[in-house]
Each structure stands twice: as C-alpha cells, then as structure tokens.
Amino acid sequence: MRVTVLGASGRTGIHVVRLLRGRGHQVRAGLRSRRRAEEVAGLGAETVVADVTADADDLVEALAGSEVVLSAIGAPDPDPASVNLVDRDGVITAIRAAEKAGVSRFVQLSAQFADSPDQGDRLVRSILMAKQISDSVLRRSSLNWTIVRPGTLTDDPPSGHVKVAGHLEPGRVCRADVAAVMVATLEEPLTENQGFDVIGGDIPIPSALSSFS
C-alpha cells in the first residue's frame, strides 16, 4: 500500500514507519518541518512536509496519491492551546485533507477515555476532550476509519501482545506495541469503522484484532 504517516518523527510515529517499511509498504513520512527529516533518516521512507497546523491545501498535496493515512500526531506539550491546535484542529484538518486527496483509509491514534473524557484522568482531560472532538469528526467522515485508543504510553520494549476491546480498564501499553496494532489494522477488516481501547495484555496482536468485537 501507499501509506502516509503523520507525526512520523514522534516516538510512536517512528515505530509505525519502521513497521510499515518492514512489511513492504510504500511509506511517506509526514513531518511538520524539514528539520525533523534526520529523525526518520535510514528508515527507507520518503519524507514530506505535512504540517497539520499550516495551510490545508499544502496538506492535501502532501497526502495526494496515498491509499492510507496513519495519524500519530500529538501536541508537543499539554498546554490547552497547543492541544487544541494539534489534537483537535490539526487532526480535523488532516481528516478533511485526506478526503480531498482521495485517501480511502484513515487510522487515528487517539487515547483511552477520549470517548468519555469525564471518566479519564483530570490532568489530561483537555487532551481527551480535544481528541473526542477530532475522533467524532473522523467517524462522521467519508473515510474508512479506525480509532486506536491506547492506555498510558510507555517506551518499554515491544511484547507483541496486547488486550483489545471497545472499552477497557485503565492500563499501560508500550508505544511499539501500539504502532504494531495500528499497522496490523490494515490487514484486519474487523477493525474497519471501529474504535477500540488497547492496553498491555497476553494476546498476540493479530489474534487480539481478529477476535475484536
């Protein structure tokens, strides 16, 4: 597939790019600026400026020709203004740009409790509320969508095992496993037009997704 990864230089995005290339996909690494290109150098992906906070028409051009967009973007700090700019407005811009660019599939990295922010940690509630809005826009879009809602992200080594369900108890999960889940959704039809939580568990990722309901 021809896949564009938004937020490709982030801690989760880098894992996504590496896994996609390992599976033989044609990958375009979307970066907020050319200064981030060295962070994905050597992964075998084409780099393109894809700043979701800048001109929307430029983003359409950056996504043109892609069959799939995997969005791993996130605000660089928890300040509400930054969160709303990136996780809410920026993601909405990316969704609209994907529609205009003729993209068919959009996989969104969200967060556990983004579908019910009042139940989440008050310290990150502004992030959850921003993601709730952009997730809702994605669900109502013309795209074939998947929303992955991980628990607290860690930088632990990948296990290849997770727990997946529509709603789960609060938990933790490593970024590498979340990236693997995002990539694996492209090969599992049951994840199309679905949103789900993912935390660390003992089920191999393909099995966890194939049994998702």
Side-chain angles (χ1 to χ4, degrees):
M1 296 182 185
R2 295 185 300 276
V3 186
T4 295
V5 180
L6 298 177
S9 63
R11 286 186 288 171
T12 303
I14 286 177
H15 289 296
V16 172
V17 172
R18 184 180 294 113
L19 290 168
L20 286 168
R21 287 295 300 141
R23 296 195 181 195
H25 296 296
Q26 298 177 40
V27 183
R28 186 179 295 163
L31 310 169
R32 292 190 68 180
S33 74
R34 289 289 182 192
R35 293 191 300 272
R36 310 296 296 272
E38 63 183 36
E39 298 177 38
V40 296
L43 296 182
E46 173 193 358
T47 58
V48 62
V49 175
D51 186 354
V52 300
T53 67
D55 187 84
D57 290 335
D58 289 342
L59 191 57
V60 173
E61 184 176 344
L63 300 183
S66 295
E67 299 167 74
V68 180
V69 168
L70 271 67
S71 175
I73 62 174
D77 63 66
D79 176 73
S82 178
V83 167
N84 287 336
L85 178 66
V86 176
D87 293 273
R88 185 189 66 190
D89 301 340
V91 173
I92 292 172
T93 297
I95 293 165
R96 299 306 187 210
E99 290 179 306
K100 291 181 180 178
V103 172
S104 59
R105 184 84 186 271
F106 196 107
V107 180
Q108 163 71 356
L109 177 61
S110 185
Q112 193 174 23
F113 297 111
D115 57 337
S116 52
D118 58 315
Q119 298 179 32
D121 190 330
R122 285 177 293 179
L123 296 176
V124 295
R125 195 156 292 172
S126 63
I127 297 175
L128 298 178
M129 293 177 68
K131 289 184 178 295
Q132 180 187 46
I133 293 170
S134 56
D135 288 355
S136 178
V137 170
L138 178 57
R139 287 194 298 271
R140 297 196 307 268
S141 75
S142 62
L143 299 164
N144 180 339
W145 56 270
T146 301
I147 297 171
V148 179
R149 298 190 299 264
T152 301
L153 294 169
T154 75
D155 291 311
D156 295 336
S159 71
H161 295 71
V162 295
K163 184 177 182 180
V164 168
H167 294 92
L168 291 168
E169 68 280 3
R172 298 163 64 85
V173 62
C174 71
R175 295 176 186 276
D177 283 342
V178 172
V181 167
M182 293 179 70
V183 172
T185 64
L186 303 183
E187 300 173 2
E188 180 46 72
L190 287 176
T191 65
E192 295 179 6
N193 299 316
Q194 297 289 338
F196 54 84
D197 292 354
V198 55
I199 60 175
D202 57 6
I203 304 174
I205 289 171
S207 298
L209 293 179
S210 66
S211 61
F212 169 71
S213 61

